Amino acid sequence: MKRASGVLLHISSLWGDYSEGSFGEAARQWVDFLAECGFSYWQTLPFCLPDCENSPYKSYSAFSGNPFFIDLPMLFEVGLLTKEELDAARQKSPYECEFDRLNRERLPLLAKAAERMPDDGCIDEFMASHPRTEQFCRYMALMAANDNLPWNQWTNDTPDAKTLKLWRFTQWAFFSQWKEIKSYANSKGISIIGDIPIYVSWDSSDVWAAPEQFQLDPDKNPSSVAGVPPDYFSEDGQLWGNPLYNWDKMKEDNYSWWQERMSFMLENFDGVRIDHFRGIQAYYSIPATETTARKGKWKKGPGMNLIKAIKPLCEGKLIIAEDLGDITPDVVKLVEKSGFPGMKVLQFAFLDGKDSPHMPHNYIENCVAYTGTHDNNTLLGYVWDLDDATRRKVFDYCGYSGYDNDQSYDHLLRTMYQSHAGLLIMPVQDLLLYGSDTRINKPGVAEGNWAYRLTKEQLGTINKEKFKYWNKLYSRAE
């Protein structure tokens, strides 16, 4: 893997005037910033429509796009929104996503744009080439037609025409606008890494359309659900609640749903991170009646059978195996056999005082090194929370003899730059040296996540010349 570096920032965290980041001018300015710093990659979180807790890791479809990312000024420019409608949608605060307002106001506004959209065939053409996205649109319209009841209780199989039109419009607009952003990024030498949540929500078009491919009971409710056992993040483990795959059934057609999913993702990104990759080797199964993840059991996953089914679709693309958590020798072997680079996280290096694989001196070339992920504290918050002895060990490891200040963090970042890891990814908060109040997610905590936003003024405080120099000095840029 060619030595390079990049930054993790979700679309929702971009600056702008309309309650959440979008595919507008800010996205292009962000690409310009990355290029000016000598970065080569932009990593995002999942694009799919999030759940009621705003998590992009539990969605109504693996083939959907979040309508809130649609740029409203672009709709205004083509006459689909009025100036008054645009002005009324302006945000109250630029510092975090206004989820309540978005959930209340944005779809009704987009419905107005959908009704004004000329019938020129472009939406039909998009849907014809993306049948799973069309399936999602029908699912959302049917949900509305059935008073938002769970899909296994639906009695009405006729969607409202206007609601269906709204969802078809939003998906066409979403992916059309994103295509332009990706093209612009690629023209600037920036590759974009997407994110594949390993599981989908039970409340999704994916489960509705093919319930036999999931572990459901006779009433089509989950019989067992996904999660992880007690770990660094939670003493009760994490009860995700997603339905588990019926891997034996999926094997019968050579994992065609997964093949479609990878093709869809790699149409929209230059590479993807497969979340919870260890679940492919063995998955944690929790009885659906449990209230915590403590009583789950590990069960054998599809392993190399699934990898072989999807790998021909991945030629020339960067596929990152998220091999974090409860990792066994069998998981290590699967990552090695897949050929996909695994992940190393600096914040896990000093957990138990041993020579951890997350120590930078142990990084191999075929890995992606992170100062932290979307589930971690910021680097500043992490160091601040350490006990004095561990903090001293971290600074000593990075060759810094002083105490906690901006200079100490430069030593941490340089240590990551110097490592053998082929790719280095840093959350934007770590470029800014922001504290834990700006972390985007706390695993195991349902509320208060995913809302972090960056302002353009804050971005302007980053020393671009420093990162440009480091990227060249450590051969992570030409």
Side-chain angles (χ1 to χ4, degrees):
M1 184 163 51
K2 182 180 178 182
R3 284 179 68 81
S5 64
V7 183
L8 171 61
L9 177 75
H10 195 32
I11 301 298
S12 61
S13 297
L14 285 167
W15 59 94
D17 297 324
Y18 301 96
S19 301
E20 187 173 56
S22 74
F23 298 147
E25 186 59 28
R28 289 175 172 78
Q29 293 171 349
W30 169 249
V31 167
D32 292 341
F33 165 82
L34 293 173
E36 289 165 7
C37 290
F39 292 117
S40 303
Y41 286 90
W42 171 13
Q43 183 173 336
T44 73
L45 301 184
F47 274 13
C48 45
L49 184 68
D51 69 359
C52 60
E53 294 170 349
N54 306 307
S55 170
Y57 289 90
K58 289 179 69 176
S59 178
Y60 292 105
S61 172
F63 299 85
S64 65
N66 185 347
F68 301 161
F69 294 169
I70 296 171
D71 188 63
L72 298 184
M74 292 175 68
L75 299 184
F76 165 72
E77 289 169 7
V78 296
L80 297 182
L81 293 178
T82 67
K83 181 68 164 53
E84 293 73 21
E85 290 165 344
L86 192 65
D87 289 343
R90 288 187 180 274
Q91 65 202 20
K92 306 299 182 184
S93 170
Y95 298 111
E96 63 179 17
C97 299
E98 298 175 338
F99 289 130
D100 289 343
R101 187 178 180 203
L102 286 165
N103 290 325
R104 186 175 60 250
E105 300 178 6
R106 188 55 53 88
L107 285 179
L109 179 59
L110 292 173
K112 295 178 180 179
E115 289 301 314
R116 296 166 183 152
M117 177 71 186
D119 185 11
D120 59 5
C122 59
I123 295 179
D124 288 338
E125 183 179 346
F126 173 80
M127 291 299 168
S129 60
H130 297 84
R132 292 285 188 179
T133 307
E134 173 86 90
Q135 185 181 81
F136 158 74
C137 295
R138 183 172 179 82
Y139 178 83
M140 298 303 291
L142 283 172
M143 183 191 298
N146 285 275
D147 299 321
N148 295 316
L149 288 170
W151 58 266
N152 61 351
Q153 298 179 31
W154 289 355
T155 57
N156 184 358
D157 60 0
T158 304
D160 173 74
K162 286 189 175 181
T163 305
L164 182 58
K165 184 176 183 178
L166 161 65
W167 283 106
R168 296 177 90 244
F169 168 77
T170 64
Q171 297 308 291
W172 167 81
F174 177 100
F175 289 107
S176 297
Q177 289 189 1
W178 173 245
K179 185 177 181 180
E180 293 183 11
I181 296 299
K182 182 179 179 298
S183 178
Y184 182 78
N186 292 164
S187 74
K188 294 284 187 174
I190 304 298
S191 298
I192 304 179
I193 303 169
D195 198 316
I196 297 182
I198 188 170
Y199 296 119
V200 296
S201 173
W202 174 80
D203 187 11
S204 68
S205 61
D206 307 291
V207 183
W208 165 69
E212 71 281 358
Q213 293 198 328
F214 297 84
Q215 296 183 28
L216 308 180
D217 65 20
D219 294 324
K220 297 184 179 179
N221 292 307
S223 55
S224 297
V225 295
V228 291
D231 60 9
Y232 168 74
F233 289 115
S234 173
E235 62 181 18
D236 284 331
Q238 296 176 44
L239 182 65
W240 297 339
N242 309 73
L244 296 167
Y245 297 111
N246 183 341
W247 288 117
D248 290 339
K249 187 66 178 178
M250 285 190 157
K251 186 178 180 180
E252 291 178 4
D253 63 1
N254 197 29
Y255 309 97
S256 64
W257 181 86
W258 271 92
Q259 291 187 48
E260 288 184 62
R261 191 181 192 189
M262 289 299 296
S263 295
F264 175 80
M265 291 296 293
L266 294 175
E267 173 188 346
N268 290 292
F269 299 97
D270 301 297
V272 294
R273 186 194 79 120
I274 302 179
D275 178 58
H276 197 58
F277 187 86
R278 71 101 55 244
I280 295 174
Q281 188 277 321
Y283 60 92
Y284 196 63
S285 176
I286 307 164
T289 55
E290 292 295 319
T291 57
T292 74
R294 286 184 173 274
K295 294 185 179 180
K297 294 182 179 179
W298 289 106
K299 296 188 177 182
K300 186 174 177 57
M304 279 303 297
N305 288 328
L306 175 60
I307 302 303
K308 290 176 181 177
I310 65 174
K311 198 162 186 180
L313 306 168
C314 304
E315 293 296 328
K317 301 285 189 175
L318 173 63
I319 310 298
I320 303 173
E322 192 260 300
D323 53 345
L324 305 176
D326 188 359
I327 302 304
T328 65
D330 286 339
V331 178
V332 174
K333 289 179 183 178
L334 180 63
V335 175
E336 291 176 350
K337 288 181 70 176
S338 74
F340 301 151
M343 292 174 57
K344 306 299 178 188
V345 182
L346 178 64
Q347 293 187 34
F348 296 153
F350 301 91
L351 286 179
D352 54 15
K354 299 178 181 178
D355 188 23
S356 165
H358 294 281
M359 288 280 196
H361 67 264
N362 287 324
Y363 296 171
I364 61 173
E365 182 179 358
N366 191 38
C367 79
V368 183
Y370 291 79
T371 52
T373 73
H374 65 277
D375 282 335
N376 289 106
N377 202 340
T378 66
L379 187 60
L380 176 63
Y382 158 75
V383 173
W384 182 267
D385 287 345
L386 292 174
D387 61 82
D388 291 343
T390 306
R391 186 183 301 111
R392 181 69 268 154
K393 182 177 180 180
V394 171
F395 289 163
D396 287 346
Y397 181 89
C398 297
Y400 180 67
S401 59
Y403 297 94
D404 198 348
N405 56 39
D406 288 359
Q407 189 177 354
S408 65
Y409 292 94
D410 275 1
H411 278 73
L412 267 66
L413 295 180
R414 276 180 177 265
T415 297
M416 296 295 281
Y417 263 98
Q418 293 165 356
S419 75
H420 285 295
L423 177 58
L424 167 63
I425 298 289
M426 298 167 288
V428 70
Q429 295 95 317
D430 292 351
L431 273 61
L432 287 155
L433 283 187
Y434 280 178
S436 57
D437 58 322
T438 64
R439 69 181 294 176
I440 194 166
N441 182 46
K442 293 182 180 179
V445 178
E447 299 179 352
N449 295 318
W450 315 111
Y452 168 72
R453 290 186 76 191
L454 174 71
T455 69
K456 188 175 181 181
E457 291 73 23
Q458 290 168 347
L459 185 74
T461 66
I462 296 175
N463 186 341
K464 291 187 289 187
E465 290 302 316
K466 178 176 73 175
F467 288 102
K468 183 178 181 180
Y469 173 69
W470 285 353
N471 278 318
K472 288 186 176 181
L473 181 64
Y474 300 114
S475 298
R476 296 191 181 278
E478 297 179 358

